Amino acid sequence: MKYYALILLISIFSFNTLKAQDYKKDSLQFKIITQIKYKSSQVESISLKKVLCDYCTEKQTEQLGLQALKLAALEQDNPNNIKNNGIKLLSIYIRLSKKDFKAIND
């Protein structure tokens, strides 16, 4: 009985690993760099520095940048990001399926 339970457990983990690999094959990952400027521990501005994508169209780059700015706004109050006075650079990674990425142009 113990061996059946062990085989079942190993099979479940193997199946989950295969599913995770399918996700990696069907998706694209983008790195976007944003900047949060703090003054007296308060956010002064959030800006987009760079969208790292060699094959994106202008529209796709713009949409990825807008999404990264929204994510940076959510991160502005994170204690790890807050500075008394200064600039915090955030690297934001966005993962999209190839189908969804292509639909940005449509």
Side-chain angles (χ1 to χ4, degrees):
M1 186 67 174
K2 290 180 184 178
Y3 293 112
Y4 292 119
L6 184 62
I7 290 172
L8 180 64
L9 189 63
I10 291 172
S11 299
I12 291 171
F13 284 123
S14 299
F15 182 70
N16 286 339
T17 303
L18 289 174
K19 293 291 273 183
Q21 290 174 355
D22 288 343
Y23 178 73
K24 288 180 182 178
K25 277 192 238 179
D26 185 42
S27 65
L28 301 168
Q29 181 172 307
F30 305 97
K31 181 179 180 180
I32 299 110
I33 300 170
T34 59
Q35 170 182 299
I36 303 175
K37 189 181 283 186
Y38 290 95
K39 187 172 185 180
S40 301
S41 299
Q42 298 296 317
V43 175
E44 192 174 272
S45 66
I46 299 175
S47 60
L48 179 67
K49 296 303 281 181
K50 190 169 190 175
V51 177
L52 299 171
C53 181
D54 295 336
Y55 47 85
C56 294
T57 64
E58 261 187 63
K59 187 173 182 181
Q60 290 168 332
T61 302
E62 180 183 332
Q63 292 299 316
L64 288 169
L66 289 173
Q67 186 63 34
L69 286 173
K70 290 177 186 175
L71 293 171
L74 293 173
E75 289 290 322
Q76 71 186 1
D77 295 325
N78 185 335
N80 295 332
N81 297 332
I82 295 176
K83 292 191 174 229
N84 192 16
N85 288 314
I87 295 173
K88 175 68 176 181
L89 292 175
L90 291 177
S91 295
I92 296 176
Y93 294 90
I94 297 176
R95 187 179 287 272
L96 291 172
S97 71
K98 291 177 183 177
K99 186 173 112 177
D100 291 339
F101 180 68
K102 187 176 180 242
I104 292 175
N105 274 338
D106 297 338

